[in-house]
C-alpha cells in the first residue's frame, strides 16, 4: 500500500541530546514537509523540500535540521539547540504544490 | 495579519444543526485550498479540496471567495461523529502548504 510512514510513534529524549525522526513515503511525491503541533495549536512549518538535495526553512526552523538525499526520505533532526522540543511532529508529502498533502501518523517527542 | 486565519472556536452545536467555518488568507497568489479534519491526537486528513467556485460533498459544502480571500466550510445536519478540529489549508506560492490554527467543533446529543 502506498503511504507515508513516520517512526517512531513515541520518542523520549534527554535534555541536551539530538534525536532524529524518520519520514518515508512511497507515493513518488516530490514535495515533503515537516510540521510541529503543540497542544491546542495549529500546525507550524519547520522545513519543506520540493526536490532531492534541496530544502527550505519554514517558520520555526531554528534548532532543527533536515536532509533530502533520497526522494522517499526526509528525516528531521531535533538538536539540543531547540529550546522547547516537546511536541507532536507531523511529516507530509504532496505531488506538487497545488495538490493535497498526505500525512504520516506523527511522532510524539517528549523531553525528559 | 496572519497568513491563514481561522476562528478558533470552540463551536458547540446540537446534533442536526448547521454550522459554518470561515478562513481568511493573505496571499492573493494562492491557487489551491483545502479543508482537513483532525481528530484528537491524530494526523490531519483531507476532508475536501476547494477549487474555483467551491464544491459540495454530501452534508459538506466548501466555497471560495477570491476577491475577499476567504474560504468557508458549511456542515449541514451535524452528526456526533463530526466532532473534530477543522483545518484550513492554503497552498503558498506553489511551494508549501500553510495551515490555519484550526476550528474546534463539538456536536452534542
Amino acid at each position: 500500500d502506498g503511504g507515508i510512514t513516520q517512526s517512531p510513534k513515541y520518542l523520549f529524549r534527554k535534555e541536551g541530546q539530538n534525536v532524529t525522526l524518520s519520514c518515508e513515503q512511497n507515493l513518488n511525491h516530490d514535495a515533503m514537509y515537516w510540521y510541529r503541533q503543540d497542544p491546542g495549536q495549529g500546525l507550524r512549518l519547520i522545513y519543506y523540500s520540493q526536490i532531492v538535495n534541496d530544502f527550505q526553512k519554514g517558520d520555526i526552523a531554528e534548532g532543527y535540521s533536515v536532509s533530502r538525499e533520497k526522494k522517499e526520505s526526509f528525516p528531521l533532526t531535533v538538536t539540543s539547540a531547540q529550546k522547547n522540543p516537546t511536541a507532536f511532529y507531523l511529516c507530509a508529502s504532496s505531488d506538487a504544490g497545488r495538490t493535497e498533502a498526505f500525512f504520516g501518523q506523527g511522532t510524539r517527542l517528549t523531553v525528559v | 495579519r496572519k497568513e491563514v486565519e481561522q476562528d478558533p472556536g470552540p463551536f458547540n452545536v446540537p446534533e442536526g444543526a448547521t454550522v459554518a467555518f470561515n478562513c481568511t488568507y493573505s496571499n492573493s497568489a494562492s491557487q489551491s485550498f483545502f479543508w482537513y479534519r483532525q481528530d484528537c491526537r491524530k494526523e490531519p486528513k483531507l476532508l475536501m479540496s476547494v477549487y474555483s467556485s467551491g464544491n459540495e460533498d454530501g452534508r459538506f459544502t466548501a466555497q471560495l471567495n477570491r476577491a475577499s480571500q476567504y474560504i468557508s466550510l458549511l456542515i449541514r445536519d451535524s452528526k456526533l461523529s463530526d466532532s473534530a478540529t477543522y483545518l484550513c489549508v492554503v497552498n503558498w506560492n506553489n511551494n508549501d502548504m500553510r495551515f490555519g490554527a484550526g476550528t474546534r467543533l463539538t456536536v452534542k446529543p
Side-chain angles (χ1 to χ4, degrees), chain A residues 8-22:
Chain A
K9 192 171 181 180
Y10 298 96
L11 188 57
F12 296 88
R13 187 197 92 175
K14 292 183 179 179
E15 276 193 45
Q17 288 181 336
N18 292 354
V19 63
T20 297
L21 281 57
S22 170

Side-chain angles (χ1 to χ4, degrees), chain B:
Chain B
R1 180 182 178 184
K2 288 185 181 177
E3 293 174 334
V4 181
E5 195 157 7
Q6 294 183 248
D7 183 340
F11 284 61
N12 298 307
V13 303
E15 270 188 291
T18 295
V19 61
F21 308 136
N22 287 326
C23 169
T24 59
Y25 60 95
S26 61
N27 184 1
S28 60
S30 295
Q31 295 293 320
S32 303
F33 310 89
F34 309 92
W35 284 103
Y36 277 72
R37 171 191 169 129
Q38 186 176 25
D39 293 295
C40 189
R41 302 177 73 85
K42 299 282 190 181
E43 75 275 23
K45 293 187 178 178
L46 180 68
L47 177 66
M48 296 180 75
S49 301
V50 187
Y51 295 119
S52 61
S53 59
N55 52 298
E56 184 174 317
D57 183 4
R59 298 182 293 109
F60 298 85
T61 301
Q63 293 197 318
L64 167 65
N65 184 318
R66 286 190 185 277
S68 300
Q69 293 179 209
Y70 79 83
I71 64 173
S72 63
L73 178 68
L74 182 77
I75 304 175
R76 291 181 296 277
D77 188 23
S78 300
K79 311 291 184 191
L80 295 177
S81 58
D82 292 335
S83 297
T85 296
Y86 291 84
L87 300 167
C88 168
V89 184
V90 178
N91 167 261
W92 214 256
N93 296 323
N94 272 342
N95 283 332
D96 63 281
M97 303 286 193
R98 299 297 171 115
F99 283 74
T103 298
R104 198 167 178 188
L105 171 66
T106 300
V107 181
K108 299 185 174 180

Side-chain angles (χ1 to χ4, degrees), chain A residues 81-98:
Chain A
Q82 169 50 235
K83 298 302 179 190
N84 186 21
T86 294
F88 186 41
Y89 290 87
L90 286 159
C91 179
S93 71
S94 67
D95 193 19
R98 294 175 65 98

